[in-house]
Structures are given as C-alpha cells and as structure tokens.
Amino acid sequence: MHVTSERRLDDGVLEREFTLDEIPGILWTPASASASAPAPLILLGQTPLGLRTMYPRLVARARRSAAGGFATATIELPGSGDRPRWPAAEQARADLRRTMEVGEPVSDEIVDALTIPLVEAAVPEWQAALDVLLSLPGIGGPVGYSGGLISLGIRLALVEPRISAAVLFAGSFVPRAMFEEARQVTIPLHVLLQWDDEGNDRQAALDLFDAFGTKEKTLHANLGGHTGVPQFAGDAAAQFFTRHLK
C-alpha cells in the first residue's frame, strides 16, 4: 500500500489517498483512532462513476462514520475512474442506456454482462485491500460493508468472513444468479430502498430482500427517487453499524 496524499479534514478526520497494486483508494480514520484503541472498519461501496465523481458523497459518509468512531475505506472499481477501460462493460452500459431510453424491459443478458464480470473482478481486490487495511495501526475489526452495487455487497457478505454486517442499497440491477447467493447470506443486513427509484425494479428489490437467508434483516423504504435518500435513513444505518460492530 502506497500512500499518495495525506491531510486532516476540519473535523479531525485523517484522509489518506493510496494505491494498492495500482488500484486507487481512500482511507478515512477518526481522530480518536490509535494503536491502543483501533477503530472498527466500514468498507464504503461505490458505483462505476469513479472515485473522483463519487468523492463528495463518499467523504460525507466517511465523516458521519468517523463521528461514530469508525474508520472507512473505499477502492476504485475495475474499469472505472483512472483505471483501464473495460470495453465489454462499456458496451453493456451502452446497451442498458439504449434499452431504458426506448422504454423496453432490461434483459437478463444485459444485467449479467453489466454486473457479473465486475463482481468477479472486484471481490478479490476488496479482499486484498481488507488484508492491508486491517494490518494498519489504529484500524481493527469487526468489519462492515456499506452501499455501492448491491451485487458486490451480496458476494462480499457471502464469501468474506471478516465482514460482520452490511448496509445494502437496493438501487442497482441484480442478476438472477445472485438471488441464490442471497439465500446463503447469514450476517445481519440493513437494506435501503427508494420506493420511487426510476432506474430500479421495486418488485425485484422486494423479492431480493425476501431471499436473504439471514435471520436479522431490516428493510428501510422511503418515498423518493434514486438520489433522494433522506438524512434520517443514514442515521438509521449508522445505528445499525453501532449495534453490530461495537
């Protein structure tokens, strides 16, 4: 892990940009974190829009988490930001845009092409980042996962035993194969759903929530579109992590 920049934000949060095997990432740690009092870690999921585009939302989430005593970190997804382009992924996104523009149903083939290769490539990278992050002074377990592509969250919740709880945002397409993986997820889940999300299949999101195999799962649904998540929904997610990671 190579730290490329480091600065203190005005609330005392330490922000470190880094690269790990040429993958960009950002780590935020609260001022209270130390080797003798390590902070639990939350992995901040994001979208293929890229770290720079997502930064305002990511740093806001990081600051809120730091106020609760949590360290947070994120890494750039494959094919996003400054990372090498993925022609197949860009073609899948173009197919999705055309389909939605003409009002046609989004096919399973488009959803699979858009999601499955990304998840399969990203999960080992997140696990490698977790290896390094948990070795740093001031950071410890347990670990949570929050937001971003729900399919990535499902896979990480299933295969990564260091993740103890997850907040998932039902705002992206999910391949049918992921429903079977969801049935095997057993960690506590807090699922956010925007009821009027124009780009999301509400019924599919409800079916996915029903499929999760965990005995502790909460669906937090609010009226509004994709970007209209209310402030109190974030507060509820923070309380969820406090219950399960502290």
Side-chain angles (χ1 to χ4, degrees):
M1 177 177 172
H2 174 62
V3 175
T4 57
S5 71
E6 181 175 315
R7 65 169 180 153
R8 285 277 178 191
L9 305 183
D10 55 16
D11 54 2
V13 174
L14 178 62
E15 178 183 271
R16 284 172 280 183
E17 296 190 16
F18 64 86
T19 58
L20 181 64
D21 294 332
E22 300 184 352
I23 301 170
I26 309 176
L27 168 64
W28 295 272
T29 50
S32 59
S34 66
S36 59
L41 177 65
I42 298 174
L43 301 176
L44 297 183
Q46 52 157 313
T47 72
L49 292 173
L51 270 178
R52 297 303 165 200
T53 300
M54 291 290 295
Y55 177 80
R57 280 181 273 178
L58 289 166
V59 73
R61 291 162 62 193
R63 285 180 154 184
R64 174 179 288 179
S65 297
F70 297 100
T72 51
T74 190
I75 59 173
E76 192 79 84
L77 291 174
S80 301
D82 296 328
R83 297 189 64 181
R85 299 295 92 190
W86 270 21
E90 292 183 348
Q91 181 62 55
R93 286 194 284 269
D95 292 342
L96 175 64
R97 284 193 298 270
R98 281 195 299 270
T99 298
M100 297 185 72
E101 285 171 359
V102 299
E104 294 180 353
V106 178
S107 68
D108 290 344
E109 290 76 14
I110 292 177
V111 174
D112 289 354
L114 193 68
T115 307
I116 293 176
L118 178 59
V119 169
E120 291 180 345
V123 165
E125 294 179 351
W126 283 86
Q127 290 179 300
L130 189 54
D131 291 341
V132 175
L133 292 166
L134 289 178
S135 71
L136 298 176
I139 298 177
V143 179
Y145 176 86
S146 176
L149 296 175
I150 193 169
S151 294
L152 176 58
I154 293 169
R155 178 68 62 83
L156 280 169
L158 178 61
V159 305
E160 179 45 71
R162 291 170 292 186
I163 294 178
S164 302
V167 171
L168 303 177
F169 180 36
S172 55
F173 294 101
V174 180
R176 293 185 185 276
M178 281 289 171
F179 280 71
E180 183 54 41
E181 294 192 23
R183 293 184 179 92
Q184 302 174 59
V185 172
T186 58
I187 64 172
L189 299 176
H190 182 97
V191 182
L192 300 175
L193 171 64
Q194 287 301 102
W195 202 251
D196 307 301
D197 190 338
E198 59 281 359
N200 189 41
D201 184 333
R202 182 197 302 165
Q203 188 57 53
L206 294 173
D207 292 344
L208 178 64
F209 179 80
D210 188 52
F212 283 121
T214 180
K215 294 180 179 179
E216 184 175 342
K217 56 184 177 180
T218 301
L219 180 66
H220 197 127
N222 293 283
L223 298 177
H226 187 80
T227 59
V229 180
Q231 175 76 22
F232 59 78
D235 295 340
Q239 293 167 5
F240 168 82
F241 279 131
T242 297
R243 287 199 306 275
H244 293 287
L245 301 185
K246 286 194 167 183

